[in-house]
Amino acid sequence: MLDSKPLLLETDFPPIARRRLSTVQVNLGYRCNQSCVHCHVDAGPKRREEMNVETMEQVLAFLKHSGAETLDITGGAPELNAVFRPLVEAARALGVHVMDRCNLTILTEPGQEDLAEFLAAHRVEIIASLPCYLEDNVDGQRGKGVFDGSIHGLRQLNALGYGADDAESTGLLLHLVYNPVDAVLPPPQCALEADYKHELHERYGIRFSRLLTLANMPIQRFGGWLLSTGRFDDYMRLLKGAHRDENLDAVMCRDLISIDWQGYVYDCDFNQMLGLPLGAAAGERRHISELADASGLTGAGIRVGEHCFGCTAGQGSSCGGALS
């Protein structure tokens, strides 16, 4: 796979600094039951990186003293990791809100038959990837049968109360995630959400809370695809040409840190995938065990690169969807 990282390091992206930490995002590893073209993690069934118990306990120790309100768990398919459920249980016991970035088909994997019930019992907010409401588009991006598996998973979650009208009060929030299937920016989030809700309800009786639109990042598997098809430069021109300064205030890295499966800390999940350590200075990477709390993070500079334009282009893009 061609590597886009060398093309991203030198940048004129505006300098930005941290605010108070509100979200700790943890990547439990790169093993996944899917292999998606757009994946910025380069996850798949053959990956074996997984967080161990010692690192999980170090994450929890930091979380306890950080003041962060939210634990955002991602992967790969994070549910395949042995520490996933203990981490969820411990974080909820601390009173921390937990989010799970779920690919939906994991709910039907052998050994995960009770996963939906586990998530509901612990009031875990689900961020579920579904790049389209049409079967051919989803299977074309993610593999044959993924759409059917996703619909089955959504029906499981709906049966437990996820995505219902009272989800805000019950805590059973179910958000879907849209990524473009090509080297383009996502369409307006509100209009696409209305289409998703209509089509999924009319065709399959599915309900959900919100749709989050994410731009594809020019890194890892998607970056390699851009380079191999000769579209990297055009895509970067698209992102930079659509940059909006007003989106800088809402980018996720200002309130979030990203921790990898080994416990090393980064400004965001994208910087983690590029191996760019925490902080604006190009220093050595820091381990979560070295951070007693979040007091030294506020006001610190954030490491930026050309890929950061993916978060500020057009309506903006973050782990929480459009910024404007």
Side-chain angles (χ1 to χ4, degrees):
M1 182 176 68
L2 297 174
D3 185 8
S4 62
K5 178 179 177 178
L7 303 174
L8 301 172
L9 299 181
E10 291 188 15
T11 186
D12 56 356
F13 190 85
I16 50 176
R18 292 189 160 278
R19 294 186 289 248
R20 186 187 71 83
L21 181 70
S22 64
T23 301
V24 174
Q25 187 176 73
V26 181
N27 190 311
L28 297 188
Y30 309 142
R31 185 157 64 103
C32 189
N33 61 323
Q34 296 183 18
S35 294
C36 303
V37 173
H38 73 281
C39 184
H40 71 274
V41 182
D42 195 25
K46 295 182 180 179
R47 300 296 294 267
R48 292 292 177 263
E49 299 91 337
E50 293 187 70
M51 183 173 286
N52 60 32
V53 173
E54 180 183 5
T55 304
M56 179 196 73
E57 291 173 345
Q58 292 166 337
V59 169
L60 287 168
F62 173 81
L63 187 65
K64 182 176 181 179
H65 299 289
S66 69
E69 298 93 359
T70 299
L71 175 66
D72 182 348
I73 307 177
T74 185
E79 305 89 351
L80 292 175
N81 192 289
V83 306
F84 173 78
R85 298 194 190 201
L87 178 60
V88 169
E89 292 167 343
R92 294 297 291 133
L94 292 174
V96 173
H97 177 67
V98 176
M99 299 163 59
D100 174 31
R101 296 192 177 264
C102 176
N103 69 21
L104 292 174
T105 61
I106 195 66
L107 296 166
T108 59
E109 284 289 308
Q112 301 293 339
E113 292 84 1
D114 64 339
L115 176 59
E117 288 82 0
F118 173 84
L119 296 171
H122 293 282
R123 297 299 186 261
V124 175
E125 180 178 350
I126 296 176
I127 315 293
S129 51
L130 188 70
C132 190
Y133 47 76
L134 298 175
E135 182 175 3
D136 288 347
N137 288 354
V138 173
D139 284 1
Q141 188 186 58
R142 303 202 159 184
K144 187 174 177 58
V146 168
F147 184 79
D148 281 344
S150 298
I151 293 298
H152 182 78
L154 285 168
R155 285 175 170 155
Q156 278 187 270
L157 295 171
N158 280 176
L160 293 166
Y162 271 102
D165 291 340
D166 62 349
E168 288 283 351
S169 59
T170 64
L172 299 179
L173 291 165
L174 171 60
H175 308 310
L176 301 184
V177 174
Y178 166 87
N179 288 87
V181 296
D182 205 347
V184 296
L185 291 176
Q189 182 169 285
C190 289
L192 188 60
E193 179 180 295
D195 290 342
Y196 260 71
K197 287 194 170 183
H198 177 266
E199 295 295 334
L200 287 175
H201 187 267
E202 289 297 309
R203 294 168 185 257
Y204 308 104
I206 298 298
R207 61 184 187 273
F208 64 95
S209 305
R210 289 180 54 215
L211 179 73
L212 312 179
T213 58
L214 274 62
N216 290 325
M217 282 290 162
I219 64 176
Q220 291 286 13
R221 194 175 291 154
F222 187 71
W225 176 78
L226 289 171
L227 287 170
S228 66
T229 56
R231 304 176 73 180
F232 181 85
D233 290 341
D234 286 342
Y235 190 62
M236 290 309 306
R237 278 192 288 270
L238 172 67
L239 296 182
K240 298 184 77 168
H243 167 77
R244 294 171 59 186
D245 278 339
E246 54 265 40
N247 287 331
L248 291 169
D249 188 57
V251 289
M252 61 185 178
C253 55
R254 301 195 69 181
D255 313 287
L256 167 150
I257 61 169
S258 174
I259 305 172
D260 72 11
W261 64 279
Q262 294 175 296
Y264 291 102
V265 188
Y266 307 82
D267 288 300
C268 71
D269 189 44
F270 306 126
N271 280 6
Q272 179 188 142
M273 294 307 112
L274 290 169
L276 303 178
L278 180 74
E284 295 294 320
R285 60 181 183 173
R286 300 173 67 185
H287 197 269
I288 192 62
S289 60
E290 300 172 37
L291 302 178
D293 53 42
S295 59
L297 297 175
T298 304
I302 293 168
R303 180 72 181 272
V304 297
E306 289 286 88
H307 59 290
C308 298
F309 286 104
C311 291
T312 60
Q315 63 187 336
S317 174
S318 75
C319 285
L323 304 178
S324 61

